[in-house]
Amino acid sequence: MKKHQNHCYFTAVCIASAIFAVLLCLALFLIVTGDRSELDRMEAQAAVFLEQMEQAADSASGKSTDETYVPSADDEYYEKITDAIRDDLPYGVEWQECDLSRKQEDASFYALYPKLTGEIRNRDYVNEIIEKQALLYKNYCQMYVEQAGFDSCHIQCFGYVTNMDSEHLSVVFDQKFYLNNQSMPGLSAINIDVETGTILKKEQQFNYSTRLAERFRKQCQKQNGLELSENEWPTEMLRKLLSSDGGIFFYTPVGLEIGFNYNGVNNQFGWMTATIKDYEEYLKKM
């Protein structure tokens, strides 16, 4: 999977504003000329148009809830980030929300994240870690506006339970940063060993070898249609990005998803992941 900068939300708003302004000018002209029937028609069109654009903006900025995709171990690769919640385990999930989006126009924060319920070791500790990650940028918006000089800052964080079984629980956060109407997507993940109730760290789990980096390159081309050329993305660079602080890994019903955030790398912003089904050979021996 790959995600670049996404300007859909602000594009929708800007287009709506521009076209609404045109419709307003036409309406004023019709008022002056006295064409009441045409004015009524224009008002109806404007109302329908603005409602459609508002729905498009909401859709572009919200959590994806595509229930048609159900990832399976039989899949060739993981297609998109989605929930894989089960109800046949000793532990469960309920959703928490933090909404500061209505406090001021130039800065807002919204987060939707899971809270574990039922029987799972270190439940309170794990929930604390999940909530901390979900609310990590809660106080950044106002700081960006007041201290960093940005005109506006809006942050959204949508949590997904991408894997839930008796061994591994993975929570992935799709983060959307809007600074001065520029979008910078980000991805982070928390992986829990269900049996011990501990957080799994990538540096403790995997050998980030050149072989894994090359495997990632080939899988990206197959899965995402990306040709990561050796000139632009050298193997050593890929290896370091995968193992860096911006590196990502999480479990899914399909297998293991690995990748990284590449904000500023090669003057690009976004994230990419690829599926490694037979990942056992890359695990560190404990």
Side-chain angles (χ1 to χ4, degrees), residues 33-249:
T33 58
D35 191 343
R36 184 67 224 180
S37 61
E38 185 65 16
L39 178 60
D40 291 341
R41 186 180 69 83
M42 292 290 294
E43 287 177 345
Q45 286 182 339
V48 171
F49 175 79
L50 287 177
E51 182 179 357
Q52 291 175 342
M53 293 306 294
E54 192 174 271
Q55 290 173 354
D58 290 341
S59 175
S61 61
K63 176 178 175 177
S64 173
T65 55
D66 182 6
E67 297 180 357
T68 61
Y69 173 55
V70 179
S72 166
D74 297 329
D75 295 345
E76 189 175 3
Y77 53 79
Y78 192 60
E79 294 183 15
K80 64 169 65 175
I81 295 176
T82 189
D83 289 315
I85 298 175
R86 294 170 51 176
D87 58 7
D88 59 343
L89 296 167
Y91 69 96
V93 168
E94 62 182 30
W95 293 95
Q96 303 290 307
E97 184 182 50
C98 177
D99 188 356
L100 304 179
S101 61
R102 296 176 179 84
K103 284 201 168 184
Q104 56 191 91
E105 293 184 359
D106 58 356
S108 68
F109 177 85
Y110 178 84
L112 181 68
Y113 56 98
K115 179 181 179 181
L116 303 183
T117 62
E119 299 178 10
I120 183 171
R121 296 193 65 176
N122 295 331
R123 188 184 68 185
D124 291 342
Y125 166 73
V126 172
N127 277 332
E128 182 180 338
I129 296 297
I130 293 173
E131 182 177 62
K132 183 178 180 180
Q133 182 63 36
L135 306 183
L136 183 62
Y137 300 103
K138 177 181 176 181
N139 299 317
Y140 277 54
C141 292
Q142 195 166 356
M143 181 191 71
Y144 278 130
V145 172
E146 294 180 354
Q147 300 179 24
F150 288 95
D151 294 328
S152 63
C153 175
H154 303 278
I155 299 176
Q156 298 171 328
C157 180
F158 298 100
Y160 294 84
V161 178
T162 62
N163 195 79
M164 184 177 179
D165 57 35
S166 59
E167 295 183 8
H168 300 121
L169 172 71
S170 289
V171 179
V172 175
F173 295 100
D174 183 8
Q175 298 154 331
K176 305 170 188 289
F177 299 81
Y178 301 99
L179 295 174
N180 288 356
N181 296 354
Q182 295 298 311
S183 172
M184 292 187 295
L187 201 69
S188 63
I190 296 175
N191 299 280
I192 298 104
D193 184 320
V194 174
E195 293 181 356
T196 63
T198 57
I199 307 298
L200 301 174
K201 304 292 185 180
K202 59 180 178 294
E203 62 272 14
Q204 299 171 347
Q205 293 292 112
F206 304 105
N207 287 310
Y208 286 97
S209 61
T210 56
R211 180 173 176 175
L212 179 58
E214 281 298 329
R215 174 81 177 277
F216 176 81
R217 184 199 304 279
K218 293 178 181 178
Q219 183 63 24
C220 259
Q221 183 171 2
K222 181 178 182 180
Q223 178 174 339
N224 304 318
L226 297 174
E227 186 172 350
L228 303 178
S229 67
E230 179 68 31
N231 290 334
E232 189 176 8
W233 299 90
T235 301
E236 182 61 15
M237 176 191 284
L238 289 177
R239 190 189 68 80
K240 288 182 177 180
L241 286 169
L242 289 169
S243 61
S244 69
D245 290 341
I248 316 157
F249 87 92

